[in-house]
Amino acid sequence: NQYIRVQNDLTGTYGLDDQISFYGRLGWAYLQLASDSISGTAYGLPDQSIGVNYRVFQKEKYHSKTPWPLGIDLQLQVDLPTY
């Protein structure tokens, strides 16, 4: 038995301002299935995604013990079945 899946994704992001950004993912997939009972090949569009991020908290100043900025985001994502 054998299952092969190859998927390529193209993603994009657009920052509206420092707190809000939008993103999307467009994908393409190739599938091949071979087993004793069934075999087949398929290709096309898998689930596509669109979403928005909202930065709720941003700490840009940092101390010497934690030398990295801290951010907390809320994310809303919708997956679209395009098959």
Coordinates of all heavy atoms in Angstrom, one line a residue:
N1 N 0.8 -1.2 0.0 CA 0.0 0.0 0.0 C 0.9 1.2 0.0 O 1.9 1.3 0.7 CB -0.9 0.0 1.2 CG -1.9 -1.1 1.2 OD1 -2.2 -1.7 0.2 ND2 -2.3 -1.5 2.4
Q2 N 0.4 2.3 -0.7 CA 1.2 3.5 -0.8 C 0.3 4.7 -0.9 O -0.7 4.7 -1.6 CB 2.1 3.4 -2.0 CG 3.0 4.6 -2.2 CD 4.0 4.4 -3.4 OE1 3.7 3.7 -4.3 NE2 5.0 5.2 -3.4
Y3 N 0.6 5.8 -0.2 CA -0.1 7.0 -0.3 C 0.9 8.1 -0.4 O 1.9 8.3 0.4 CB -0.9 7.2 1.0 CG -1.6 8.6 1.1 CD1 -2.7 8.8 0.4 CD2 -1.1 9.6 1.9 CE1 -3.4 10.1 0.4 CE2 -1.7 10.8 2.0 CZ -2.9 11.0 1.2 OH -3.5 12.3 1.3
I4 N 0.8 8.9 -1.5 CA 1.7 10.0 -1.7 C 0.9 11.3 -1.8 O -0.1 11.4 -2.5 CB 2.5 9.8 -3.0 CG1 3.4 8.6 -3.0 CG2 3.3 11.1 -3.4 CD1 4.0 8.2 -4.3
R5 N 1.3 12.4 -1.1 CA 0.7 13.7 -1.2 C 1.7 14.7 -1.3 O 2.6 14.8 -0.5 CB -0.2 13.9 0.0 CG -0.9 15.3 0.0 CD -1.7 15.6 1.2 NE -2.2 16.9 1.2 CZ -3.4 17.3 1.3 NH1 -4.3 16.3 1.5 NH2 -3.8 18.5 1.3
V6 N 1.6 15.5 -2.3 CA 2.5 16.7 -2.5 C 1.6 17.9 -2.5 O 0.7 18.0 -3.3 CB 3.3 16.6 -3.8 CG1 4.2 17.8 -4.1 CG2 4.1 15.3 -3.9
Q7 N 2.0 18.9 -1.7 CA 1.2 20.1 -1.6 C 2.1 21.3 -1.7 O 3.1 21.4 -1.0 CB 0.3 20.1 -0.4 CG -0.5 21.4 -0.3 CD -1.6 21.3 0.8 OE1 -2.0 20.3 1.2 NE2 -2.1 22.5 1.2
N8 N 1.7 22.3 -2.4 CA 2.5 23.6 -2.5 C 1.5 24.7 -2.0 O 0.3 24.7 -2.4 CB 2.9 23.9 -3.9 CG 4.0 22.9 -4.4 OD1 5.0 22.7 -3.7 ND2 3.7 22.3 -5.5
D9 N 2.0 25.6 -1.2 CA 1.2 26.7 -0.7 C 1.9 28.0 -1.1 O 3.1 28.2 -1.0 CB 1.0 26.6 0.8 CG 0.2 25.4 1.2 OD1 -0.8 25.1 0.5 OD2 0.4 24.8 2.3
L10 N 1.0 29.0 -1.4 CA 1.5 30.4 -1.6 C 0.8 31.2 -0.5 O -0.5 31.2 -0.5 CB 1.1 30.9 -3.0 CG 1.4 32.3 -3.3 CD1 2.9 32.6 -3.3 CD2 0.8 32.7 -4.7
T11 N 1.5 31.9 0.3 CA 0.9 32.7 1.4 C 1.3 34.2 1.1 O 2.3 34.5 0.6 CB 1.4 32.2 2.7 OG1 2.9 32.4 2.8 CG2 1.1 30.8 3.0
G12 N 0.4 35.0 1.7 CA 0.6 36.4 1.6 C 0.0 37.1 2.8 O -0.9 36.6 3.5
T13 N 0.6 38.2 3.2 CA 0.2 38.9 4.4 C 0.2 40.4 4.1 O 1.1 40.9 3.4 CB 1.2 38.7 5.6 OG1 1.3 37.3 5.8 CG2 0.7 39.4 6.8
Y14 N -0.8 41.1 4.6 CA -0.9 42.5 4.4 C -1.1 43.2 5.8 O -2.1 42.9 6.4 CB -2.0 42.9 3.5 CG -2.2 44.4 3.3 CD1 -1.3 45.2 2.6 CD2 -3.3 45.0 4.0 CE1 -1.4 46.5 2.5 CE2 -3.4 46.4 3.9 CZ -2.5 47.1 3.1 OH -2.7 48.5 3.1
G15 N -0.2 44.0 6.2 CA -0.4 44.7 7.5 C -1.1 46.0 7.3 O -0.6 46.9 6.6
L16 N -2.3 46.1 7.9 CA -3.1 47.3 7.8 C -2.5 48.4 8.6 O -2.3 49.6 8.2 CB -4.5 47.0 8.2 CG -5.5 48.1 8.0 CD1 -5.6 48.4 6.5 CD2 -6.9 47.7 8.5
D17 N -2.1 48.1 9.9 CA -1.3 49.0 10.7 C -0.5 48.1 11.7 O -0.3 47.0 11.5 CB -2.3 50.0 11.5 CG -3.4 49.3 12.3 OD1 -3.2 48.1 12.7 OD2 -4.4 49.9 12.5
D18 N -0.1 48.7 12.9 CA 0.7 48.0 13.8 C 0.0 46.9 14.5 O 0.6 46.0 15.1 CB 1.3 48.9 14.9 CG 2.4 49.8 14.3 OD1 2.9 49.4 13.2 OD2 2.8 50.8 14.9
Q19 N -1.4 46.9 14.5 CA -2.1 46.0 15.3 C -2.9 45.0 14.4 O -3.2 43.9 14.9 CB -3.2 46.7 16.2 CG -2.5 47.4 17.4 CD -3.6 47.9 18.3 OE1 -4.4 48.7 17.9 NE2 -3.6 47.4 19.6
I20 N -3.3 45.3 13.2 CA -4.1 44.5 12.4 C -3.4 44.1 11.1 O -2.8 44.9 10.4 CB -5.5 45.2 12.1 CG1 -6.2 45.5 13.3 CG2 -6.3 44.3 11.1 CD1 -7.5 46.4 13.1
S21 N -3.5 42.8 10.8 CA -2.9 42.3 9.6 C -3.9 41.2 9.0 O -4.5 40.5 9.8 CB -1.5 41.7 9.7 OG -1.5 40.6 10.6
F22 N -3.9 41.0 7.7 CA -4.7 40.1 7.0 C -3.7 39.1 6.3 O -2.6 39.5 5.9 CB -5.6 40.7 6.0 CG -6.5 41.7 6.6 CD1 -6.2 43.0 6.7 CD2 -7.8 41.3 7.1 CE1 -7.1 43.9 7.2 CE2 -8.7 42.2 7.6 CZ -8.3 43.5 7.7
Y23 N -4.2 37.9 6.2 CA -3.3 36.9 5.5 C -4.2 35.9 4.7 O -5.4 35.8 4.9 CB -2.4 36.1 6.5 CG -3.2 35.2 7.4 CD1 -3.4 33.9 7.1 CD2 -3.6 35.7 8.6 CE1 -4.1 33.1 8.0 CE2 -4.3 35.0 9.5 CZ -4.6 33.6 9.2 OH -5.3 32.9 10.1
G24 N -3.6 35.2 3.7 CA -4.3 34.2 2.9 C -3.3 33.2 2.5 O -2.1 33.4 2.5
R25 N -3.8 32.0 2.2 CA -3.1 30.8 1.8 C -3.8 30.2 0.6 O -4.9 29.8 0.7 CB -2.9 29.8 2.9 CG -2.1 28.6 2.5 CD -1.9 27.6 3.6 NE -3.2 27.2 4.2 CZ -3.9 26.2 3.8 NH1 -3.6 25.5 2.8 NH2 -5.0 25.8 4.5
L26 N -3.1 30.1 -0.5 CA -3.6 29.4 -1.7 C -2.8 28.2 -1.9 O -1.6 28.2 -2.0 CB -3.6 30.3 -2.9 CG -4.0 29.8 -4.2 CD1 -5.5 29.5 -4.2 CD2 -3.7 30.7 -5.3
G27 N -3.4 27.0 -2.0 CA -2.7 25.8 -2.2 C -3.1 25.0 -3.4 O -4.1 25.2 -4.0
W28 N -2.2 24.1 -3.7 CA -2.4 23.1 -4.8 C -1.9 21.8 -4.3 O -0.8 21.7 -3.7 CB -1.7 23.6 -6.1 CG -1.8 22.6 -7.2 CD1 -2.8 22.6 -8.1 CD2 -0.9 21.5 -7.5 NE1 -2.6 21.6 -9.0 CE2 -1.5 20.9 -8.7 CE3 0.2 21.0 -6.9 CZ2 -0.9 19.8 -9.3 CZ3 0.8 19.9 -7.5 CH2 0.2 19.3 -8.7
A29 N -2.6 20.7 -4.6 CA -2.2 19.4 -4.1 C -2.2 18.3 -5.2 O -3.1 18.4 -6.1 CB -3.0 18.9 -2.9
Y30 N -1.4 17.3 -5.1 CA -1.4 16.1 -5.9 C -1.4 14.9 -5.0 O -0.6 14.8 -4.0 CB -0.1 16.1 -6.8 CG 0.1 14.8 -7.5 CD1 -0.5 14.5 -8.7 CD2 1.0 13.8 -7.0 CE1 -0.3 13.3 -9.3 CE2 1.2 12.6 -7.6 CZ 0.6 12.4 -8.8 OH 0.8 11.2 -9.5
L31 N -2.3 14.0 -5.2 CA -2.4 12.8 -4.4 C -2.4 11.5 -5.3 O -2.9 11.5 -6.4 CB -3.8 12.8 -3.7 CG -4.0 14.0 -2.8 CD1 -5.5 14.4 -2.8 CD2 -3.6 13.6 -1.4
Q32 N -1.7 10.5 -4.7 CA -1.7 9.2 -5.4 C -1.9 8.1 -4.3 O -1.2 8.1 -3.3 CB -0.4 9.0 -6.1 CG -0.3 7.8 -6.9 CD 1.0 7.7 -7.7 OE1 2.0 8.4 -7.4 NE2 1.0 6.9 -8.7
L33 N -2.8 7.2 -4.6 CA -3.1 6.2 -3.7 C -3.0 4.8 -4.4 O -3.6 4.7 -5.5 CB -4.6 6.3 -3.1 CG -5.1 5.2 -2.2 CD1 -4.3 5.1 -1.0 CD2 -6.6 5.4 -1.9
A34 N -2.3 3.9 -3.8 CA -2.2 2.6 -4.4 C -2.4 1.6 -3.3 O -1.6 1.6 -2.3 CB -0.9 2.4 -5.1
S35 N -3.4 0.7 -3.4 CA -3.6 -0.3 -2.4 C -4.2 -1.6 -3.1 O -4.4 -1.5 -4.3 CB -4.5 0.1 -1.3 OG -5.8 0.3 -1.8
D36 N -4.4 -2.6 -2.4 CA -4.9 -3.8 -3.0 C -6.4 -3.7 -3.5 O -6.8 -4.2 -4.4 CB -4.9 -5.0 -2.0 CG -3.4 -5.3 -1.6 OD1 -2.5 -5.0 -2.4 OD2 -3.2 -5.9 -0.5
S37 N -7.1 -2.8 -2.7 CA -8.5 -2.7 -3.0 C -8.9 -1.5 -4.0 O -9.8 -1.6 -4.7 CB -9.4 -2.5 -1.8 OG -8.9 -1.4 -1.1
I38 N -8.1 -0.4 -3.9 CA -8.4 0.7 -4.8 C -7.1 1.5 -5.1 O -6.1 1.5 -4.3 CB -9.4 1.7 -4.0 CG1 -9.9 2.7 -5.0 CG2 -8.8 2.3 -2.8 CD1 -11.1 3.5 -4.5
S39 N -7.1 2.1 -6.2 CA -5.9 2.9 -6.7 C -6.5 4.1 -7.4 O -7.6 4.1 -8.0 CB -5.0 2.2 -7.6 OG -4.4 1.1 -7.0
G40 N -5.7 5.2 -7.3 CA -6.2 6.4 -8.0 C -5.2 7.6 -7.8 O -4.3 7.6 -7.0
T41 N -5.4 8.6 -8.6 CA -4.7 9.8 -8.6 C -5.6 11.0 -8.7 O -6.6 11.0 -9.4 CB -3.7 9.9 -9.8 OG1 -2.9 8.7 -9.8 CG2 -2.9 11.1 -9.8
A42 N -5.3 12.0 -7.9 CA -6.1 13.2 -7.9 C -5.2 14.4 -7.7 O -4.1 14.4 -7.2 CB -7.1 13.2 -6.7
Y43 N -5.6 15.6 -8.3 CA -4.9 16.8 -8.1 C -5.9 18.0 -8.2 O -7.0 17.8 -8.7 CB -3.8 17.0 -9.1 CG -4.3 16.9 -10.6 CD1 -4.7 18.1 -11.2 CD2 -4.4 15.7 -11.2 CE1 -5.2 18.0 -12.5 CE2 -4.8 15.6 -12.5 CZ -5.2 16.8 -13.2 OH -5.7 16.7 -14.5
G44 N -5.5 19.1 -7.6 CA -6.4 20.2 -7.6 C -6.2 21.1 -6.3 O -5.2 21.0 -5.7
L45 N -7.2 21.9 -6.0 CA -7.1 22.8 -4.9 C -7.6 22.1 -3.6 O -8.7 21.6 -3.5 CB -8.0 24.0 -5.2 CG -7.6 24.8 -6.4 CD1 -8.7 25.9 -6.6 CD2 -6.3 25.4 -6.3
P46 N -6.8 22.1 -2.6 CA -7.2 21.7 -1.3 C -7.9 22.8 -0.5 O -8.2 23.8 -1.2 CB -5.9 21.2 -0.6 CG -4.9 22.2 -1.2 CD -5.3 22.4 -2.6
D47 N -8.0 22.8 0.8 CA -8.6 23.9 1.6 C -7.7 25.1 1.4 O -6.5 25.0 1.4 CB -8.6 23.5 3.0 CG -9.7 22.5 3.3 OD1 -10.6 22.3 2.5 OD2 -9.7 22.0 4.4
Q48 N -8.4 26.3 1.2 CA -7.7 27.5 1.2 C -8.0 28.3 2.5 O -9.0 28.0 3.1 CB -8.2 28.4 0.0 CG -8.2 27.6 -1.3 CD -6.9 27.0 -1.7 OE1 -5.9 27.7 -1.7 NE2 -6.9 25.8 -2.1
S49 N -7.2 29.2 2.9 CA -7.4 29.9 4.2 C -7.3 31.4 4.0 O -6.5 31.9 3.2 CB -6.3 29.5 5.2 OG -6.3 28.1 5.5
I50 N -8.1 32.1 4.8 CA -8.0 33.5 4.9 C -8.2 33.8 6.4 O -8.8 33.1 7.1 CB -9.1 34.3 4.1 CG1 -10.5 33.8 4.4 CG2 -8.8 34.2 2.6 CD1 -11.6 34.6 3.8
G51 N -7.6 34.9 6.8 CA -7.7 35.2 8.2 C -7.2 36.6 8.6 O -6.7 37.4 7.7
V52 N -7.3 37.0 9.8 CA -7.0 38.3 10.3 C -6.3 38.1 11.7 O -6.6 37.2 12.5 CB -8.2 39.2 10.5 CG1 -9.2 38.7 11.4 CG2 -7.8 40.6 10.9
N53 N -5.2 38.9 11.9 CA -4.5 38.9 13.2 C -4.7 40.2 13.9 O -4.7 41.3 13.2 CB -3.0 38.7 13.0 CG -2.7 37.3 12.6 OD1 -3.3 36.3 13.1 ND2 -1.7 37.2 11.7
Y54 N -4.9 40.2 15.2 CA -5.1 41.5 15.9 C -4.1 41.4 17.1 O -4.1 40.5 17.9 CB -6.5 41.6 16.5 CG -6.7 42.9 17.3 CD1 -6.7 44.1 16.7 CD2 -6.8 42.8 18.7 CE1 -6.8 45.3 17.5 CE2 -7.0 43.9 19.5 CZ -7.0 45.2 18.9 OH -7.1 46.3 19.6
R55 N -3.2 42.4 17.2 CA -2.2 42.4 18.2 C -2.8 43.1 19.5 O -3.2 44.2 19.5 CB -1.0 43.3 17.8 CG 0.1 43.6 18.7 CD 1.0 42.5 19.1 NE 1.4 41.5 18.1 CZ 2.6 41.4 17.6 NH1 3.6 42.2 17.9 NH2 2.9 40.4 16.7
V56 N -3.0 42.2 20.5 CA -3.7 42.7 21.8 C -2.6 43.4 22.7 O -3.0 44.3 23.4 CB -4.4 41.6 22.5 CG1 -5.8 42.0 22.8 CG2 -4.3 40.3 21.9
F57 N -1.4 42.8 22.7 CA -0.4 43.3 23.6 C 0.9 43.3 23.0 O 1.3 42.4 22.3 CB -0.4 42.4 24.9 CG 0.7 42.7 25.8 CD1 0.5 43.8 26.7 CD2 1.8 42.0 25.9 CE1 1.5 44.1 27.6 CE2 2.8 42.3 26.8 CZ 2.7 43.4 27.7
Q58 N 1.7 44.4 23.2 CA 3.0 44.5 22.6 C 3.9 45.1 23.6 O 3.6 46.2 24.1 CB 3.0 45.4 21.3 CG 4.4 45.6 20.8 CD 5.0 44.4 20.1 OE1 4.2 43.7 19.4 NE2 6.2 44.2 20.3
K59 N 5.0 44.4 24.0 CA 6.0 45.0 24.9 C 7.3 45.1 24.1 O 7.9 44.1 23.8 CB 6.1 44.1 26.1 CG 7.1 44.6 27.1 CD 7.2 43.7 28.3 CE 8.2 44.3 29.3 NZ 8.4 43.4 30.5
E60 N 7.6 46.3 23.8 CA 8.8 46.5 23.0 C 10.1 46.7 23.8 O 11.1 46.4 23.4 CB 8.6 47.7 22.0 CG 7.5 47.4 21.0 CD 7.4 48.4 19.9 OE1 8.4 49.0 19.6 OE2 6.3 48.5 19.4
K61 N 9.9 47.3 25.0 CA 11.0 47.5 25.9 C 11.3 46.2 26.6 O 10.4 45.5 27.0 CB 10.8 48.6 26.9 CG 10.6 49.9 26.3 CD 10.4 51.0 27.3 CE 10.1 52.3 26.7 NZ 9.9 53.4 27.7
Y62 N 12.5 45.8 26.8 CA 12.8 44.6 27.4 C 14.0 44.7 28.4 O 14.7 45.7 28.3 CB 13.2 43.5 26.4 CG 14.2 43.9 25.3 CD1 15.5 43.7 25.5 CD2 13.8 44.5 24.1 CE1 16.5 44.0 24.6 CE2 14.7 44.9 23.2 CZ 16.0 44.6 23.4 OH 16.9 45.0 22.5
H63 N 14.1 43.8 29.3 CA 15.1 43.8 30.3 C 16.3 43.0 29.8 O 16.2 42.2 28.9 CB 14.6 43.3 31.6 CG 13.4 44.0 32.1 ND1 13.4 45.3 32.5 CD2 12.1 43.6 32.2 CE1 12.2 45.7 32.9 NE2 11.4 44.7 32.7
S64 N 17.4 43.1 30.5 CA 18.6 42.3 30.1 C 18.4 40.8 30.4 O 19.0 40.0 29.7 CB 19.8 42.7 30.9 OG 19.6 42.6 32.3
K65 N 17.4 40.4 31.3 CA 17.2 39.0 31.5 C 16.3 38.4 30.4 O 16.4 37.2 30.1 CB 16.5 38.8 32.8 CG 17.3 39.1 34.0 CD 16.6 38.9 35.3 CE 17.5 39.3 36.5 NZ 16.8 39.1 37.8
T66 N 15.5 39.2 29.7 CA 14.6 38.7 28.6 C 14.9 39.6 27.4 O 14.1 40.6 27.2 CB 13.1 38.7 29.0 OG1 12.8 40.0 29.4 CG2 12.8 37.7 30.1
P67 N 15.9 39.4 26.6 CA 16.2 40.3 25.5 C 15.4 40.1 24.3 O 15.9 40.3 23.2 CB 17.7 39.9 25.3 CG 17.8 38.5 25.6 CD 16.8 38.3 26.8
W68 N 14.1 39.8 24.4 CA 13.3 39.7 23.2 C 12.0 40.5 23.4 O 11.5 40.5 24.6 CB 13.1 38.3 22.8 CG 12.4 37.5 23.8 CD1 11.1 37.4 24.1 CD2 13.1 36.6 24.8 NE1 10.9 36.5 25.1 CE2 12.1 36.1 25.6 CE3 14.4 36.3 25.0 CZ2 12.4 35.2 26.6 CZ3 14.7 35.4 26.1 CH2 13.7 34.9 26.8
P69 N 11.4 41.1 22.4 CA 10.1 41.7 22.6 C 9.0 40.6 22.8 O 9.2 39.5 22.4 CB 9.9 42.5 21.3 CG 10.8 41.9 20.3 CD 11.9 41.3 21.1
L70 N 7.9 41.1 23.4 CA 6.8 40.1 23.6 C 5.5 40.7 23.0 O 5.2 41.9 23.1 CB 6.6 40.0 25.1 CG 5.4 39.2 25.6 CD1 5.6 37.7 25.2 CD2 5.2 39.3 27.1
G71 N 4.8 39.8 22.3 CA 3.6 40.2 21.7 C 2.5 39.1 21.8 O 2.9 37.9 21.8
I72 N 1.3 39.5 22.0 CA 0.2 38.5 22.1 C -0.8 38.9 21.0 O -1.3 40.1 21.0 CB -0.5 38.5 23.5 CG1 0.6 38.1 24.5 CG2 -1.7 37.6 23.5 CD1 0.1 38.2 26.0
D73 N -1.2 37.9 20.2 CA -2.1 38.2 19.1 C -3.3 37.3 19.2 O -3.3 36.2 19.7 CB -1.4 37.8 17.7 CG -0.3 38.7 17.4 OD1 -0.1 39.8 18.1 OD2 0.4 38.4 16.4
L74 N -4.4 37.8 18.7 CA -5.7 37.0 18.5 C -5.7 36.8 17.0 O -5.4 37.6 16.2 CB -6.9 37.8 19.0 CG -7.1 38.0 20.5 CD1 -8.3 38.8 20.7 CD2 -7.2 36.7 21.2
Q75 N -6.1 35.6 16.7 CA -6.2 35.2 15.3 C -7.5 34.5 14.9 O -8.0 33.7 15.7 CB -5.1 34.2 15.0 CG -4.9 33.8 13.5 CD -3.8 32.8 13.3 OE1 -3.6 31.8 14.0 NE2 -3.0 33.1 12.3
L76 N -8.1 35.0 13.8 CA -9.3 34.4 13.3 C -9.0 33.9 11.9 O -8.5 34.6 11.1 CB -10.5 35.4 13.3 CG -11.8 34.9 12.6 CD1 -12.4 33.9 13.5 CD2 -12.7 36.1 12.4
Q77 N -9.3 32.6 11.7 CA -9.0 31.9 10.4 C -10.2 31.2 9.9 O -10.9 30.5 10.7 CB -7.8 31.0 10.6 CG -7.5 30.2 9.3 CD -6.2 29.4 9.4 OE1 -5.2 29.8 10.0 NE2 -6.3 28.2 8.9
V78 N -10.4 31.3 8.6 CA -11.5 30.6 8.0 C -10.8 29.7 6.9 O -10.1 30.2 6.0 CB -12.5 31.5 7.3 CG1 -13.6 30.8 6.6 CG2 -13.1 32.4 8.4
D79 N -11.1 28.4 6.9 CA -10.7 27.5 5.8 C -11.8 27.3 4.8 O -12.9 27.0 5.2 CB -10.2 26.2 6.4 CG -9.0 26.3 7.2 OD1 -8.1 27.2 6.9 OD2 -8.8 25.6 8.2
L80 N -11.5 27.5 3.6 CA -12.5 27.3 2.5 C -12.3 26.1 1.7 O -11.2 25.9 1.1 CB -12.4 28.5 1.6 CG -12.5 29.9 2.3 CD1 -12.1 31.0 1.3 CD2 -13.9 30.2 2.8
P81 N -13.3 25.2 1.7 CA -13.1 23.9 0.9 C -13.3 24.3 -0.6 O -14.4 24.6 -1.0 CB -14.2 23.0 1.5 CG -15.2 23.9 2.0 CD -14.5 25.2 2.5
T82 N -12.3 24.2 -1.3 CA -12.4 24.6 -2.8 C -12.3 23.3 -3.7 O -12.0 23.5 -4.8 CB -11.3 25.6 -3.1 OG1 -10.0 25.0 -2.7 CG2 -11.5 26.9 -2.4
Y83 N -12.5 22.2 -3.1 CA -12.4 21.0 -3.9 C -13.8 20.5 -4.4 O -14.8 21.0 -3.9 CB -11.7 19.8 -3.2 CG -12.0 19.7 -1.7 CD1 -13.1 19.0 -1.3 CD2 -11.2 20.4 -0.8 CE1 -13.4 18.9 0.0 CE2 -11.5 20.3 0.5 CZ -12.6 19.6 1.0 OH -12.9 19.5 2.3

